[in-house]
Amino acid sequence: MAKILYVDADCDRTREFTRLAAKKGHFVTVATSAERAMLCVEREGGFDAVVLHLILPGIDGAELCRWLERWSCLASVPRVVFTGPETELRIDLTHGLPRWLPAHRYLDSVDTMDRIVAELERVLGF
Amino acid sequence: MKRIYVAATEQHAGKTTVSLGLYRAALQKGYSTCFIKPVGQRYVMAGQEQVDEDAVLFKQALLAEGALKNLSPVTIPSGFTNQYIFNPDPDSIYAPIMEAIRNLEAEHEVAIVEGTGHAGVGSVIDASNAQVAHALEASCVIVAGGGIGRCIDQLCLNQALFERHEVPVVGAIINKVYEEKYEKVSRAVRQGLTNQGMNCLGVIPYRKELTFPTMRHILEEFALEVLCGGQELDNRIRNIMVAAMTPQNMIHYLTAGSLVVVPGDRADNILASINANLMQDRSSPVQIAGLLLTGGFVPHLSIVNILCAVDVPVLLTEDDTATAAFKVRSLVPKITPRDVDKIEMAERIISSHVDVDCIFRAAGLQ
C-alpha cells in the first residue's frame, strides 16, 4: 500500500483514479490545484508518490514539480506527470523531459486512468 | 613554402578576419594555400584530439587542406602553464609544430599562420608569437584595433619583440576603425606608422555585423537550455534589450534582431515580445532574434504552448536578468563555420582595404 498525492482539476478523472488506486490498496489524497497540493505537502507530508496533471489552474504542473524537488520534504519522492487527450502540448516531452520539468515519468494523451495506476505501480516497484 | 604569420597587438583585434581574407586572397591568386594555428588556446574536441577552434573554422568552412592535427598541432589545456614552469620542455611544443609544417609544406606554396593574442603571449612556455614565428621562418603582419596613439604605441611594442627574435615585420593592419572617423584615423595612422618606420598595409572600417552573435553562440558559450524554437538558433542578435519595464514601455525598444532578456515569470513582457514579432507580417519590421528567460523561471505551460507556436528561439538561464544581460553583452563572438555571411564579409573587407599584394611580395611570392 502506498500513500499517493493526486493533483488534478478534472473531477471525473480524479474520481476514476481514486477508485482504481483504492482497489489496488493505495490511499489517495486529492488536491485540485498546485497551491492546494503545496498545502497538503506542508501539512501532511509523508507521501510515497505524487501524480499530477501538467495543466492546472494557477501554478502549472511543471512549476509544482520544481517546487516539490527544490523546496518540499518530498524531493526524492517519485513524480508521475500526465496530460489528458484534451490537452494539446506543442512542446515535445515524449523524447525525454527537460531540466525544468523534474518528473520521473511523463504520460501523454492519457484516456484511461488504468495507465496511470499501472505506471505508478511500476515506479513504486509493486 | 612561404609562411605569413598573422599576429596582433591584443586579443580580439581581428586576426581571424585577416587570416580568412589572406587565405582566400592567396587561393584566388592561384597559390596552393594552407592554414595553421601553431599554438591554440581555445580548443574543441575532434574525436579524441584537442584542436583549436580557428583550425576547425578553416577546415569546415573553407575546406582547408591537411589533417586537423596539422592545422592545430599544439593546444594549451588548463594547468599546462603551471606544469611547464617547473618542467620546461620546449621540444614538446616545437616538435609537433615543426612536424605539422613539414607535412603541410609538401603540398603547399603558402601557409597562413595565425598567432594567438599579442606578440608576447606564450612567452611563459617559450612559445611566444615572436618565438614561434622565428621557428617557422615566417614574415609577420601585425593586426591592431582601431585608433591612433594607443594603436601605434602597441604596434611599436609588438614590433620590438618580433625584431628581437629576428622576425621580419611586413607591416601593420589597423582594424575596426569607426566609419565616421575613418578618413582622419587612416591619414594619421599611416603617417604615424611611417614616422616609426613601419609599413601600413591597410585600414579596415569597423563592421558591426561582424560582432553580432547568433542565438546558437550564446546557447553554446553559456551552456544554456533551449525551451523551444531550436530550429531558429541561427537568428543573429543585433541588439540586447532588457525587458524589465512594463510592456507598454518595453515595446518601444524592440527592434529587428533584438534579444529580449526577460525574467521567465514576466508573462506580460514575454507575450508582448512575441506579439511584436508576429506583427512583421503586417508591414511592421520587428522580428526579434529570440528570448532569454532569466531567473530559472519557466513560464506557465499555457504560455510555453504559445511560444512553441512562434518561430522564435527561447533560451533559459538560471542567472538573474542583470547578470544574464551583462554576460551576453560581454560576449565577443568568434567567427564559426556556420557564419557564412561573416566569412564572406571578412574576405570582402580584406580584399578591398588591405594591400595583399604587398604582403605576398614581402613573403617572397611572385
Side-chain angles (χ1 to χ4, degrees), chain A residues 11 38 52 55 63 70 84 95:
Chain A
C11 296
M38 288 170 176
L52 60 141
I55 303 298
E63 179 79 45
R70 291 179 192 174
H95 296 97

Side-chain angles (χ1 to χ4, degrees), chain B residues 88-161:
Chain B
D89 179 15
D91 198 45
S92 67
I93 294 170
Y94 286 97
I97 294 174
M98 299 317 287
E99 189 191 340
I101 208 85
R102 275 195 299 276
N103 291 339
L104 293 168
E105 191 166 43
E107 293 174 7
H108 299 96
E109 294 167 275
V110 54
I112 304 299
V113 186
E114 187 177 328
T116 182
H118 59 71
V121 167
S123 300
V124 65
I125 53 166
D126 301 313
S128 71
N129 283 289
Q131 288 167 299
V132 174
H134 171 75
L136 293 175
E137 298 175 38
S139 307
C140 173
V141 172
I142 310 176
V143 184
I148 301 172
R150 184 165 168 264
C151 153
I152 294 174
D153 292 347
Q154 288 180 334
L155 281 165
C156 289
L157 185 66
N158 280 269
Q159 184 189 30
L161 192 60

